[in-house]
Structure formats: C-alpha cells, structure tokens
C-alpha cells in the first residue's frame, strides 16, 4: 500500500496523522478557556454599533424649522466644550440631511461619550455614555484580558494557537474517500456521544474558512507592522508619511470654518462627513468626506490639515489607494464583520460561537475516551470487594 493510497483511503494508518492529533489535542486543551472567552465576547461585540445606536437613536434627529439656518460648526464645538468641560481630542459628525443632529464623540474616564447638538440652535440635546459597563467589560476582555499590552501580546499568541488548531484539525478531519460525506452532517437520531462527535466534525469543517480568517485577522491587532511588511513584499503599499506638525504653543488654532473651507478647496464635490480634532499640539486635523458604496465611510477621502494654518498636508483618496493599501484596509472589517450589513454580522456572531462549541465537544470526546477509562482503572475497589478478595 503506497503513501497516496493510505492518505486517500486509510489516513488513520499514517504516523504523521497521529502526531497531528496529539498536537491538536493538547493545544486545544491549553487554549480552551481562551477560545470560550474570545468567542463569546466577540459574538456580542459584533453588534457593538447596533447596541450603541439603540442607546442613542432617540437623539439622532431634530425637527427642521422652516426657513431656519444652521449655526456654524465653531458654535457647535463651543457649546460642547462648555457643556462637558472636555478639552481633549474629539470627533464631530456633521449633519447630512436637514433633520440630522450633530454628533460629537470623545473618550474620557474610561468611557466613550456622545453629545448630540441641535444644528440650528447649538443647544445640547443629550449627553450619553455610549457603552454600558457590560459592553466595556467585554471589549477589554476581548482586546487584552485586562492586562494592557501584555494581554494584547497574549491575545496574538492565542490567535496563532487557534490557527494551529484549524490547520491540524482539517488533516485529522479527513476520514478517507469512503466516509468523508458522513463527516459533513449531524445525525440527531443517534446517541448523545454520536451527536457530540458529529457536532465537532461538522462544525469544524463548515466553519474552517471563517474560523481561519478570524484567527489571521485577529493576530493583526498584535503585530500590525509585521502584516504591513508582509503585504508590502507582494503588493505596493503607500509609505507611511509623517503625520506630525511643528508645535506652536502660542499660536491660535484654525477655526473649523477655515479647516472645512480648505478641505473643500482641496477635494471639492463631496460633503464633509466627519472632523477629528486632535489633542496633542503636533497632531494633524483629519477631515473625512463621504465616498461611494455602502457603507460610505469605507471609501471616504481623508484630508490632513495643519491645525494652526489650515494648510492641507495630504489628501488620502480611496481611488488612489494601492492594492496593498486596500488589503490592509480590509483586515479590520474582516475581523469584526463590519462591512456588509446586519446579515454578515449575524453570520460572524454565529461563527464566533463555533470556538467554544468546538472546545466543549472536543473536551467531551477526550474525557469520554481517555480520562474516564483511565480514571476507572485507577479508582480503588470498594471495601467489601477488597475484603472478599483477601478472604
């Protein structure tokens, strides 16, 4: 029997498969709790935007007075600064339609804040903490396990270990040409052990592609520079230009009206969608203009400006992005599912739950096949049986 025949029809006879099985088993046991934590938290965080929108949806719109004119963006900013006392960086989303409120978001006291402003009167309509304590707890758990940069490193290592599980799992899954179709389905009429077996193998197969994407894109948050260098070897990537300006402590900062006017002159034809005002004196102002497609912010054009002179430093247009830039730009959305509407997010949420499901079903198989039989053989005999044996 040659190697190809054994691989196609009798894979269990291969020594390499036995070694892969041991790797799969012990890596799975080692990262089991990690898989549960990262899978469950990720399945909830997929709907982060929907959860935040549910908390703030009542403040998104205002009645448009007839023949009313909007206040200036500088008046909106002054109202927010005065009401909140926040002097640091913030993001301002400008109204697109006549009934849209101005939404200003910033981060303070370990929480995200959203302030809604009436665009006509500059009055503060609402001040909302965007994420509930539960959502913030899940976000920190999913990002770094409450360990800061050390946790982020461990998270990247965990993603690679889960990827190793996926790779070894597909080789172990292959039962041979005669039985492979059986591994694709679940027989719910069988005994619970058989159902558990089918669940592990069927979910592992159908979720393999999505599971692999989550692992690869998840490690990007730990080693983004490595990913950038890897992509740059095969596709052109725009060099990361310096995004700092010379600090001018005594110089006043340009008004929002000046910044918007400069952005319109540099890239006319599209409305300003968002303005990010930095905190550090050397950081640039970022103005985003809506692009085409859905969601429109995926193809937005970014204009970087000097915060003191309102001079345009750089225009980052989606049309001018290289293939490498677009690949790097897709890594984040591919991990979060934030690129094609609610249906994709529901799929990602289910996909995240495959991680704890695979660990639980795999652990049950290991316990029933290995641990329980050994535990029974090492269990001391009852006292009555022992006395009888001695007699």
């Amino acid at each position: 029997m040659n190697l190809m025949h054994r691989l196609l029809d009798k894979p269990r006879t291969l020594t390499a498969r036995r070694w892969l099985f041991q790797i799969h088993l012990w890596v799975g046991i080692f990262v089991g709790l990690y898989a549960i934590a990262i899978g469950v938290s990720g399945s909830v965080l997929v709907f982060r935007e929907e959860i935040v929108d549910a908390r703030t949806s009542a403040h998104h719109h205002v009645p448009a007075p007839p023949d009313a004119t909007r206040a200036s963006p500088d008046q909106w900013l002054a109202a927010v600064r005065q009401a909140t006392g926040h002097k640091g960086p913030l993001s301002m989303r400008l109204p697109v339609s006549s009934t849209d409120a101005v939404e200003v978001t910033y981060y303070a006291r370990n929480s995200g804040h959203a302030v809604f402003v009436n665009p006509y009167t500059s009055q503060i309509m609402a001040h909302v903490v965007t994420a509930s304590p539960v959502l913030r707890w899940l976000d920190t758990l999913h990002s770094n396990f409450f360990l800061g940069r050390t946790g982020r490193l461990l998270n990247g290592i965990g993603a690679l270990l889960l990827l190793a599980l996926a790779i070894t799992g597909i080789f172990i899954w292959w039962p041979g040409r005669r039985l492979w179709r059986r591994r694709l389905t679940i027989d719910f009429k069988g005994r619970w052990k058989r159902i558990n077996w089918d669940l592990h193998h069927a979910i592992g197969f159908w979720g393999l592609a999505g599971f692999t994407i989550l692992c690869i894109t998840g490690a990007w948050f730990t080693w983004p520079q490595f990913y950038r260098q890897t992509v740059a070897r095969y596709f052109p990537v725009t060099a990361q230009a310096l995004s700092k300006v010379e600090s001018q402590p005594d110089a006043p900062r340009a008004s929002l009206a000046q910044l918007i006017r400069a952005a319109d002159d540099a890239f006319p034809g599209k409305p300003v969608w968002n303005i990010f005002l930095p905190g550090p004196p050397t950081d640039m102002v970022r103005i985003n203009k809506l692009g085409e497609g859905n969601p429109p912010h995926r193809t937005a054009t970014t204009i970087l400006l000097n915060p003191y002179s309102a001079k345009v430093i750089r225009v980052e247009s989606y049309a001018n992005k290289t293939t490498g830039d677009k690949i790097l730009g897709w890594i984040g959305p591919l991990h979060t599912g934030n690129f094609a509407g609610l249906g994709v997010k529901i799929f990602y949420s289910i996909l995240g739950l495959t991680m704890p499901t695979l660990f639980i079903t795999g652990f049950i198989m290991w316990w029933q096949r290995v641990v329980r039989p050994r535990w029974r053989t090492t269990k001391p005999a009852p006292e009555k049986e022992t006395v009888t044996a001695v007699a």
Side-chain angles (χ1 to χ4, degrees):
M1 184 183 295
N2 58 37
L3 178 62
M4 183 58 67
H5 179 68
R6 293 170 63 193
L7 178 63
L8 293 177
D9 296 318
K10 296 184 179 297
R12 289 178 178 271
T13 63
L14 295 173
T15 303
R17 185 189 183 280
R18 291 196 289 270
W19 280 105
L20 289 174
F21 179 82
Q22 292 299 318
I23 295 172
H24 188 82
L25 170 64
W26 293 108
V27 171
I29 294 173
F30 180 73
V31 300
L33 294 179
Y34 168 79
I36 293 175
I38 209 75
V40 174
S41 60
S43 294
V44 177
L45 292 172
V46 164
F47 302 106
R48 186 203 320 259
E49 291 185 354
E50 286 73 15
I51 295 172
V52 171
D53 285 343
R55 295 171 62 88
T56 62
S57 59
H59 314 298
H60 287 174
H61 301 286
V62 297
D67 302 326
T69 57
R70 289 178 179 172
S72 69
D74 291 287
Q75 291 174 308
W76 302 335
L77 178 62
V80 172
R81 296 286 197 197
Q82 182 178 2
T84 63
H86 178 71
K87 305 300 181 183
L90 55 79
S91 179
M92 177 183 290
R93 181 175 297 182
L94 276 60
V96 177
S97 69
S98 60
T99 59
D100 287 344
V102 180
E103 182 178 358
V104 177
T105 57
Y106 64 91
Y107 193 82
R109 297 182 290 277
N110 296 324
S111 299
H113 296 255
V115 182
F116 295 88
V117 185
N118 188 309
Y120 302 99
T121 64
S122 297
Q123 292 181 341
I124 304 298
M125 300 165 50
H127 183 176
V128 182
V129 177
T130 54
S132 65
V134 174
L135 197 63
R136 293 199 300 273
W137 188 88
L138 288 173
D139 188 28
T140 308
L141 171 68
H142 192 83
S143 301
N144 54 39
F145 297 96
F146 308 99
L147 297 174
R149 299 183 68 177
T150 301
R152 180 60 62 88
L153 175 61
L154 294 175
N155 208 351
I157 295 172
L160 295 181
L161 290 175
L162 290 179
L163 181 61
L165 279 177
I167 295 172
T168 56
I170 196 60
F171 285 102
I172 298 169
W173 174 90
W174 175 249
R177 290 182 293 185
R178 189 169 59 89
L179 300 172
W180 70 271
R181 290 183 179 85
R182 179 67 185 83
R183 294 278 178 93
L184 302 178
T185 59
I186 302 171
D187 182 12
F188 289 103
K189 296 180 181 180
R191 299 177 60 189
W192 72 268
K193 292 181 181 179
R194 182 67 198 192
I195 295 174
N196 183 78
W197 169 276
D198 288 347
L199 278 171
H200 190 82
H201 289 85
I203 292 176
F205 176 83
W206 293 112
L208 177 68
F211 187 82
T212 302
I213 289 173
L214 290 180
C215 295
I216 295 174
T217 56
W220 175 81
F221 293 94
T222 302
W223 300 289
Q225 193 59 34
F226 171 78
Y227 275 64
R228 184 179 180 85
Q229 293 172 354
T230 302
V231 173
R233 291 179 183 177
Y234 306 99
F235 302 97
V237 174
T238 303
Q240 291 180 309
L242 185 66
S243 297
K244 300 290 183 180
V245 296
E246 183 180 354
S247 176
Q248 303 178 34
D250 299 327
R253 296 206 174 193
S255 66
L256 290 182
Q258 292 174 306
L259 294 167
I260 293 173
R261 192 180 308 116
D264 285 335
D265 291 339
F267 193 83
K270 293 292 183 181
V272 172
W273 166 61
N274 188 71
I275 303 174
F276 177 76
L277 298 177
T282 58
D283 284 1
M284 296 185 189
V285 174
R286 290 178 174 267
I287 292 183
N288 292 325
K289 290 198 163 192
L290 284 178
E292 304 293 340
N294 184 30
H297 66 265
R298 292 288 308 144
T299 56
T301 296
T302 301
I303 299 99
L304 285 81
L305 304 100
N306 187 304
Y308 305 101
S309 65
K311 178 183 178 181
V312 174
I313 306 299
R314 190 166 69 249
V315 176
E316 298 176 351
S317 172
Y318 182 81
N320 295 332
K321 287 185 177 181
T322 65
T323 302
D325 293 337
K326 293 178 181 179
I327 292 174
L328 292 170
W330 268 101
I331 293 177
L334 279 175
H335 186 75
T336 61
N338 183 22
F339 60 87
L342 183 60
V344 170
K345 289 190 174 185
I346 293 174
F347 171 75
Y348 264 66
S349 181
I350 297 172
L351 186 62
L353 294 177
T354 62
M355 297 185 189
T357 302
L358 287 170
F359 168 71
I360 293 171
T361 54
F363 183 85
I364 291 173
M365 287 192 296
W366 173 68
W367 183 269
Q368 291 293 326
R369 290 184 165 195
V370 180
V371 179
R372 191 175 179 184
R374 291 182 180 178
W375 179 73
R376 283 180 173 179
T377 57
T378 58
K379 184 178 179 181
E383 183 178 350
K384 182 177 179 181
E385 295 180 5
T386 304
V387 173
T388 302
V390 171

